Amino acid sequence: MQNTADLLPKIDSPTLPKNKPTLPNYDAADRQFVNLLEMEDLDKTVVAKPLLVSDLESAIAVAVRSAYQQPEGDEAAHLFLQRLLYRINRLNLFWYDDLRRYNNERSHYLRSVRDRIEAPWQQWEIAQIDVAALQNIEDVKQALRDRAAADVNPELTQIDRYLREQMTEGGYRHLLAIASFDGLVEASRVSRIIGGAGNEIQSTLTRVLIEEYGGGRLARKHSTYFAQMLAEFGMSTEPEAYFDIVPWQVLASINHNFLLTERKRHFLRYNGGLTYFEIAGPVAYRNYLAAAQRLGLSQAAMGYWELHIREDERHGRWMLDEVAIPLADRYPDEAWELLLGYDQEKSIGDRAGLAVVRSIQAATIKGRSGAGA
């Protein structure tokens, strides 16, 4: 039986600086970090001028303690840490933007920051899953099939009904703004697991990626359909345009997938998670489609959801039958990690979904208040 600790980074958590009774200014620390990212030769500068990052370092240490070592994690700390992680992780992909943004993509200092946040965060995440129970499941393939059967068409929840029956057009726009953060560059992380030896599993993953990318034709790429929805409302179609309203729970979902795709040791976990994502995706998309239809929106304002419902239903079957099950056969001793990835993706996704709905509701109340002022 494999030790759970083997799945986690071997990094000591930072200690909280002494004599820091007040909370740091996370917004100021975040702005400082953005400036550091584009600095010429960041590593040499930090060594020569360590005081330059002292406030940032203090903010990180306080935030790690506040987010992951307290019974009730501080929301501001979670948001600050997940924003830092995302800013580092997105350097692994090219966005056709200002080349200076990649000046420090291999910085040792940035890697240190990432590891010191990622380790306690992942320990916190995995503590919420009963790993021992997963390790003791004898028939992993049946467990995967059972999960898929339950998640492909579940009973409607209160969140589902709110989206379908109560979300306003303003709320729908807010949903698009948050979803655009991933929707405009979707499937990018899948590309990180395609390389390597060829076999049937790799071929299936490649088919999923090719369909997400429209077979190499921009007009058919899924992100193009998402951009069309945004354009229909006169919203920005630039990636990351709505960064400031993205809940930390959504950023955590994205960062979690960055971690799993960047570390090949987590290949099984990622594919277990991707299996859940493709199986359960149409459930969420049907909610959004039903809301758009109720609101009487145009076809362009909802076309992405229809496309995804059709294709992800097929992708879910592919992932279960042609990726997850064959991986369980190929790696019988580690097959439980597929279940870990599946269950974590579901848990993290549910948390993010709830956060998005709360954000929509808050924006709707704020909009009504502003309209009545």
Side-chain angles (χ1 to χ4, degrees):
M1 192 69 68
Q2 185 176 1
N3 193 316
T4 303
D6 292 341
L7 300 172
L8 300 170
K10 305 296 193 299
I11 303 293
D12 292 332
S13 298
T15 57
L16 184 66
K18 297 180 180 179
N19 302 320
K20 288 284 183 178
T22 59
L23 289 178
N25 185 330
Y26 290 135
D27 288 338
D30 186 63
R31 290 193 297 271
Q32 180 189 28
F33 190 69
V34 171
N35 292 332
L36 291 174
L37 285 172
E38 297 183 14
M39 181 178 291
E40 290 289 342
D41 209 339
L42 173 61
D43 289 345
K44 286 186 178 180
T45 303
V46 170
V47 171
K49 301 177 181 179
L51 289 178
L52 182 67
V53 296
S54 60
D55 289 345
L56 173 64
E57 288 291 324
S58 175
I60 292 172
V62 172
V64 165
R65 177 173 177 177
S66 298
Y68 309 128
Q69 299 175 16
Q70 303 291 345
E72 296 293 332
D74 179 68
E75 291 287 308
H78 276 294
L79 181 59
F80 170 65
L81 294 173
Q82 292 301 328
R83 283 186 173 187
L84 294 190
L85 274 182
Y86 174 80
R87 294 189 195 281
I88 297 172
N89 285 331
R90 60 92 73 198
L91 296 178
N92 290 314
L93 301 170
F94 189 59
W95 296 60
Y96 293 88
D97 51 355
D98 190 334
L99 296 178
R100 289 175 297 181
R101 299 193 72 173
Y102 304 92
N103 281 346
N104 297 293
E105 61 184 310
R106 302 194 74 180
S107 163
H108 294 296
Y109 178 71
L110 292 184
R111 179 175 180 177
S112 170
V113 171
R114 183 200 67 196
D115 290 348
R116 284 183 283 121
I117 296 172
E118 206 170 63
W121 166 50
Q122 282 293 302
Q123 290 165 357
W124 179 79
E125 291 283 9
I126 207 166
Q128 301 177 56
I129 300 290
D130 189 348
V131 174
L134 297 179
Q135 292 175 321
N136 288 323
I137 292 178
E138 294 184 3
D139 193 341
V140 169
K141 292 188 290 185
Q142 188 58 47
L144 285 166
R145 294 188 182 100
D146 292 342
R147 282 164 166 76
D151 293 326
V152 72
N153 190 26
E155 295 289 330
L156 293 180
T157 66
Q158 287 185 330
I159 289 178
D160 297 330
R161 294 191 182 281
Y162 170 80
L163 294 168
R164 287 170 174 253
E165 302 168 8
Q166 299 179 48
M167 183 168 59
T168 65
E169 183 173 323
Y172 186 80
R173 295 187 186 203
H174 193 79
L175 168 69
L176 293 185
I178 295 175
S180 72
F181 195 71
D182 202 41
L184 291 175
V185 293
E186 74 165 296
S188 293
R189 292 180 301 277
V190 178
S191 67
R192 309 293 286 184
I193 65 168
I194 298 299
N199 54 38
E200 292 300 324
I201 296 170
Q202 185 205 40
S203 297
T204 299
L205 291 170
T206 302
R207 291 207 312 275
V208 171
L209 180 68
I210 288 174
E211 288 205 353
E212 297 282 354
Y213 274 61
R217 292 183 285 276
L218 181 61
R220 294 179 58 187
K221 192 174 186 291
H222 288 190
S223 59
T224 299
Y225 287 86
F226 201 104
Q228 289 172 351
M229 290 198 298
L230 295 169
E232 187 72 3
F233 290 106
M235 299 172 65
S236 174
T237 59
E238 289 296 316
E240 302 177 342
Y242 300 101
F243 182 84
D244 288 342
I245 70 168
V246 179
W248 72 261
Q249 295 90 338
V250 173
L251 291 171
S253 176
I254 295 170
N255 286 327
H256 181 74
N257 279 273
F258 266 120
L259 166 64
L260 298 190
T261 55
E262 292 302 315
R263 295 192 61 191
K264 299 306 176 286
R265 177 59 186 83
H266 298 326
F267 188 79
L268 298 187
R269 282 175 68 189
Y270 178 74
N271 280 287
L274 185 58
T275 298
Y276 169 76
F277 183 84
E278 297 291 349
I279 286 171
V283 176
Y285 305 144
R286 290 189 198 103
N287 292 335
Y288 308 151
L289 179 61
Q293 291 171 336
R294 171 178 55 82
L295 292 167
L297 302 181
S298 68
Q299 179 63 29
M302 67 178 84
Y304 175 90
W305 311 128
E306 291 183 320
L307 172 68
H308 256 58
I309 290 169
R310 292 195 307 271
E311 295 206 351
D312 281 6
E313 286 176 346
R314 181 171 64 255
H315 292 174
R317 293 191 296 270
W318 289 355
M319 286 301 304
L320 178 65
D321 297 333
E322 300 180 36
V323 175
I325 298 300
L327 282 173
D329 285 329
R330 181 177 286 260
Y331 297 97
D333 293 338
E334 298 89 2
W336 65 271
E337 293 181 24
L338 290 159
L339 298 176
L340 174 60
Y342 189 105
D343 290 356
Q344 274 198 301
E345 182 69 18
K346 181 175 182 177
S347 175
I348 292 173
D350 286 348
R351 184 179 68 196
L354 178 59
V356 170
V357 169
R358 286 175 174 169
S359 182
I360 291 171
Q361 291 173 328
T364 301
I365 292 172
K366 183 177 179 180
R368 288 171 178 167
S369 175

